[in-house]
Amino acid sequence: MAGTVIGEGLTIEGDISGDDEIVIHGILRGRLTTTDAVTVGGTAVVGADITGASLSVAGQVTGDVTASERVDIQAGGKLVGDIKAARFTIADGASFKGNVDMEV
Amino acid sequence: MSESSVIGAGTVVSGHVRGQGSLEILGRVEGDVSVSGNVVIGPAGRVRGNVSGAQLTIAGHVQGDLRGSEAVLLERGARVAGDITGPRVGIAPGALARGHVTTEGEPAAAAHRPAPAVRVPQPPPRVVPPPPKLEVRAPAPPVKAVPPPAPAPMKLPPPAPAAIKREPAPPAAVRYQPPAPVAVKPLPPTPAQPKPERSASDAPPRPTLASDMEFTPVRPIKPEPRRPPPPVVPVLSKGTKAKKKKSQD
């Protein structure tokens, strides 16, 4: 079971931190920090800096991303911000604007 | 399309949470929570902030007000420090709540407590008045020693009880009796004030009357407001006695 789920229609204004897997379908404004995976669903709107093990974006994200493993932008996903991750993929149909640091 | 949200056990949210759907809090939230659906706070859930929703089911700790549009249920192990409001409020055995609880349409529940507390202090003063009467009668003899100034005591009966304690004063100055009552006036209030604070210290002088021993604890507590009235009654008795005695003489 996913540790934390922010359902569609739910809005969080503030910081989220912890060691759970986090799935967002709603709205988040603030900051997101976890040691596990982060999934941003197609209906999600995130305006936050994100730190996690991995990040999968199908919705909209605005903010800097730091992932210890990987960042994937799905088709239809939109990400604006700098990315720092070992692995980074952008699917066909995704939009992205920002710098990438793959710290080889 | 998941309308239900979960804040996991290892997650800390510091900020406001609001919106549609239901919410389950297994972790920690430091901020207000306001959703349209139900809110469940698990045994390990911790919330510091106000929580509002349709039906609140609390098994964790909450520091803040709870407001449920349908119900608020505190389950075993719940700890709530804050006000609870809802049409239905349930507190299960084993749950702790500290705050004001309001169930719509039944405000009377809270009113019962203050009423008995107010009534309790009132009865003691009623019991107090009788004992002073007994004292007033006893002082009568010292008044006998001063028959000539009779008119003075008539107008100044209240000081009489105080005079009892200072019996030596009147005999020493028979001619000075008029000033004596003036000095006596201030005395009654002074003893009355210390009595509440120093009930133990003031008690000893009165033990002279065995019957008063029982009442001594009651007097110092709250006799002040009703003392003035009792002396009025003895005044008549004293005056009448003095008149009778004069007529007899």
Side-chain angles (χ1 to χ4, degrees):
Chain A
M1 175 180 178
T4 297
V5 179
I6 309 302
E8 183 180 2
L10 198 72
T11 301
I12 293 184
E13 294 181 354
D15 299 348
I16 298 178
S17 60
D19 52 11
D20 281 336
E21 178 185 356
I22 297 178
V23 179
I24 302 176
H25 297 288
I27 299 173
L28 168 64
R29 279 193 289 270
R31 196 160 30 185
L32 173 56
T33 304
T34 182
T35 58
D36 207 329
V38 177
T39 302
V40 178
T43 59
V45 177
V46 177
D49 294 342
I50 299 174
T51 302
S54 64
L55 170 65
S56 173
V57 179
Q60 297 182 30
V61 175
T62 303
D64 298 340
V65 177
T66 302
S68 59
E69 294 179 6
R70 61 184 299 135
V71 173
D72 299 301
I73 303 179
Q74 313 289 344
K78 183 178 178 182
L79 197 160
V80 177
D82 297 343
I83 293 178
K84 188 174 182 181
R87 285 189 278 177
F88 177 40
T89 64
I90 301 178
D92 186 8
S95 58
F96 168 70
K97 179 182 180 183
N99 299 320
V100 178
D101 179 0
M102 300 182 71
E103 58 179 14
V104 175
Chain B
M1 292 299 291
S2 59
E3 290 188 351
S4 64
S5 304
V6 180
I7 294 178
T11 299
V12 178
V13 176
S14 46
H16 300 317
V17 180
R18 55 188 169 80
Q20 312 295 318
S22 59
L23 175 63
E24 184 175 4
I25 300 176
L26 304 176
R28 206 159 152 177
V29 176
E30 299 190 354
D32 295 345
V33 176
S34 176
V35 298
S36 61
N38 300 339
V39 177
V40 176
I41 299 180
R46 301 287 185 273
V47 176
R48 177 175 292 184
N50 301 332
V51 180
S52 66
Q55 175 169 315
L56 311 184
T57 304
I58 315 295
H61 299 188
V62 177
Q63 230 175 54
D65 299 345
L66 300 179
R67 177 180 292 273
S69 60
E70 292 180 5
V72 179
L73 305 176
L74 304 190
E75 294 185 339
R76 185 187 202 82
R79 277 175 81 161
V80 177
D83 298 345
I84 301 174
T85 306
R88 290 191 296 129
V89 175
I91 301 178
L96 298 178
R98 187 178 66 206
H100 195 78
V101 179
T102 305
T103 55
E104 294 176 0
E106 294 181 2
H112 290 299
R113 296 179 181 175
V118 174
R119 293 175 184 175
V120 173
Q122 293 177 349
R126 295 177 182 174
V127 177
V128 176
K133 294 178 180 178
L134 297 176
E135 292 180 356
V136 175
R137 294 176 184 175
V143 176
K144 293 176 182 178
V146 188
M154 291 296 288
K155 296 177 181 178
L156 302 173
I164 297 167
K165 296 178 181 178
R166 296 189 177 181
E167 292 176 359
V174 176
R175 295 178 182 176
Y176 294 95
Q177 288 172 355
V182 175
V184 175
K185 290 179 180 178
L187 294 176
T190 54
Q193 294 175 348
K195 285 173 185 176
E197 296 178 356
R198 299 177 182 177
S199 60
S201 62
D202 292 351
R206 294 185 176 180
T208 55
L209 299 176
S211 61
D212 291 353
M213 290 298 287
E214 295 178 356
F215 297 94
T216 49
V218 178
R219 292 177 184 174
I221 297 172
K222 296 168 183 176
E224 294 181 5
R226 302 201 175 185
R227 281 197 171 180
V232 174
V233 175
V235 170
L236 299 175
S237 63
K238 283 185 179 179
T240 53
K241 288 181 179 179
K243 290 178 180 177
K244 291 178 180 178
K245 291 173 183 177
K246 291 177 183 178
S247 63
Q248 291 175 354
D249 292 345

